Amino acid sequence: MRHLTLAGAVSVLFLVLSAAPAPNDWPQWRGPNGAGVSEGTFKDAWTPETVAWKVAIPGSGHSSPVVANGRIYLTTSIEGAPLPGHTAPVHLGFDLKPGYVNPDSCCIDRTYTLKVLALDAITGALLWERTAFDGAMYDDRHRKNTYASSTVATDGDMLYAYFESAGLYAYDRNGHQKWKVDFGGLAKAGMGPGMSPLIHGNLLIVQNDLEMGEGSHIVALDRRTGKQIWKTARSHRRSWATPIIVTAGGREELIASGAESVIAYDPMTGAELWKTEGVRSHPIPSVVQGHGLIFATAGSGAKVALAITPGKVDDAVRVAWKYNKGTAYVASPILYGDYLYLISDAGLMTCIDAKTGEVKYEGGRPPVPASFRASPVAFDGKLLITSEDGDTFVIKAGPAHAVIRTNSVDEPVWASPALANGTIYIRGHRHLFAIR
């Protein structure tokens, strides 16, 4: 069901765009267009001793740094006092029966302080920090997740920090809160947050897929005021993938991944444009696009990669090709040049011709055993994959797998790197690193 408000219709007709970030900025999850790719030039060799700087970040968070107009924005979660007796909501299992408990769920029994930080992109100096939320959380999280895992989106003048059940917050670049929206309790089987907000024109778009589908929705807000423009119900079970915008067949489409289906919506009204098969597993990896296709993956259970044709095409041929192994539980794929690269949880890489689905190589190994949650980034003919141990492996892009070198920040890493204005920013467990 879709709801478009009168105020929303007016806002759609009179879009007011803020000043855009500079071309080499990294203003949202996975940078420009959510692609994970930069056209800039960056250092590709470093050690913990040769980074430009590192600054301590309080608490913990898997949100990636974003960079716009000389500032870095990120979020963090600081554990507080015990809350004896505070419990998570009752969750549904795949059989739709209440009482499901994931063995890795934890941490509802304490208070948390959720903060938004702004740092100078050149020096790393803290410019301001704001407490968005301080109190009891609504639901558990995975023991390896945090309550600050959604990445900020910014246009350089305004920034939007999403903490799911703890609210959506809008600040100006100087840290003045402009509005807050509360979506209520958002349960995701006690796994915690992860989806990041998406800026499109004067809209801020959020995809909330919950539990086994009841209450799931995708919603667009006027990002100047926080007022709802439209809201469309979804029947999809919990997901963490961030939606993207594509242009196909002369129109813009908002692409939302899902286990049950991948759906395109009109981003201005929320109307469904088309629907095709889903990724079957929980969609945590985000969609990427290129060569007239979009690529959706998942790997929490079934391993699925779909190449889908957007726009006005016959639904019978919408899925151009599929590949059923090599995908990650968390890390997103990356499209770079002519090839789609998949990374498994163990860092095994697969290279596929994006247009045809022809496998160029599979099982490309990192030089040491490792686990991976950060998504790959790419620049200058190279792919960077960063392990939980804090090692970044530089991989030669192309149809033959080759590891060029290994770098380290000597600290665990879960957040995906940001590439902006000649600097690689890596968020570790306790520090933010700048490499230039």
Side-chain angles (χ1 to χ4, degrees):
M1 182 178 295
R2 178 170 56 96
H3 301 283
L4 179 66
T5 67
L6 177 59
V10 172
S11 293
V12 166
L13 291 173
F14 297 99
L15 294 182
V16 179
L17 305 183
S18 299
N24 293 321
D25 282 343
W26 197 265
Q28 63 177 4
W29 164 241
R30 305 204 77 198
N33 303 314
V37 175
S38 175
E39 299 301 321
T41 300
F42 302 86
K43 189 175 182 178
D44 66 358
W46 65 87
T47 67
E49 294 73 35
T50 62
V51 299
W53 51 256
K54 74 174 185 179
V55 296
I57 302 297
S60 60
H62 298 333
S63 62
S64 297
V66 300
V67 185
N69 296 344
R71 297 190 173 191
I72 305 165
Y73 303 106
L74 73 166
T75 61
T76 193
S77 168
I78 300 172
E79 188 177 280
L83 279 177
H86 182 57
T87 59
V90 176
H91 297 292
L92 298 178
F94 286 104
D95 57 3
L96 301 182
K97 294 180 180 179
Y100 171 78
V101 177
N102 189 288
D104 287 317
S105 292
C106 72
C107 309
I108 192 70
D109 57 349
R110 287 184 173 271
T111 63
Y112 288 84
T113 302
L114 306 180
K115 291 191 173 187
V116 182
L117 309 179
L119 297 87
D120 185 284
I122 301 300
T123 67
L126 179 66
L127 300 175
W128 54 259
E129 67 176 72
R130 299 290 182 266
T131 296
F133 176 89
D134 187 17
M137 305 307 296
Y138 175 72
D139 197 3
D140 272 322
R141 59 172 173 83
H142 192 284
R143 62 184 178 84
K144 289 189 175 183
N145 198 1
T146 76
Y147 288 117
S149 292
S150 300
T151 296
V152 169
T154 181
D155 67 356
D157 291 331
M158 293 288 294
L159 57 138
Y160 306 93
Y162 190 38
F163 298 100
E164 297 202 356
S165 295
L168 172 63
Y169 300 80
Y171 298 88
D172 67 18
R173 70 188 308 269
N174 295 316
H176 300 119
Q177 186 177 315
K178 295 302 182 180
W179 52 260
K180 173 195 173 185
V181 170
D182 184 355
F183 291 103
L186 305 176
K188 292 185 174 181
M191 295 289 94
M195 194 286 314
S196 300
L198 172 69
I199 292 174
H200 179 60
N202 201 49
L203 300 178
L204 187 70
I205 297 170
V206 172
Q207 179 179 337
N208 290 323
D209 289 342
L210 311 176
E211 287 295 282
M212 295 307 293
E214 184 177 354
S216 297
H217 61 270
I218 188 165
V219 60
L221 309 176
D222 183 326
R223 63 187 184 88
R224 298 164 299 179
T225 65
K227 300 294 185 183
Q228 181 179 302
I229 303 300
W230 56 258
K231 180 179 180 181
T232 299
R234 290 168 54 82
S235 57
H236 294 67
R237 70 175 185 260
R238 48 195 176 260
S239 73
W240 293 261
T242 299
I244 65 167
I245 299 288
V246 303
T247 300
R251 69 185 184 189
E252 292 180 320
E253 298 181 351
L254 169 65
I255 308 298
S257 188
E260 297 84 353
S261 58
V262 175
I263 299 180
Y265 301 95
D266 183 332
M268 309 312 292
T269 67
E272 185 179 306
L273 300 174
W274 54 259
K275 177 191 294 187
T276 193
E277 65 180 276
V279 293
R280 293 162 49 199
S281 296
H282 294 323
I284 300 172
S286 296
V287 175
V288 294
Q289 60 173 306
H291 301 295
L293 297 167
I294 60 171
F295 304 91
T297 69
S300 63
K303 308 295 184 182
V304 176
L306 300 174
I308 300 167
T309 306
K312 302 173 183 176
V313 301
D314 188 334
D315 287 341
V317 295
R318 190 169 294 282
V319 176
W321 57 260
K322 62 181 71 175
Y323 179 78
N324 291 324
K325 54 183 175 177
T327 54
Y329 179 31
V330 174
S332 299
I334 190 166
L335 178 69
Y336 190 45
D338 291 332
Y339 303 110
L340 178 73
Y341 299 89
L342 309 176
I343 179 173
S344 75
D345 298 339
L348 302 180
M349 295 191 69
T350 303
C351 175
I352 302 174
D353 185 301
K355 297 177 184 177
T356 67
E358 179 186 357
V359 176
K360 295 300 183 179
Y361 70 76
E362 55 187 12
R365 293 181 176 275
V368 295
S371 296
F372 292 77
R373 294 297 182 268
S375 295
V377 294
F379 64 88
D380 192 27
K382 297 180 278 285
L383 307 170
L384 269 58
I385 61 171
T386 301
S387 74
E388 290 182 36
D389 297 323
D391 295 326
T392 296
F393 305 103
V394 182
I395 312 296
K396 181 181 178 181
H401 183 266
V403 179
I404 299 172
R405 64 177 52 87
T406 301
N407 306 305
S408 178
V409 293
D410 197 27
E411 184 173 307
V413 173
W414 277 65
S416 299
L419 309 176
N421 303 297
T423 303
I424 302 172
Y425 298 96
I426 296 178
R427 181 186 190 159
H429 181 54
R430 294 300 181 198
H431 295 86
L432 178 66
F433 300 84
I435 299 152
R436 67 170 73 98

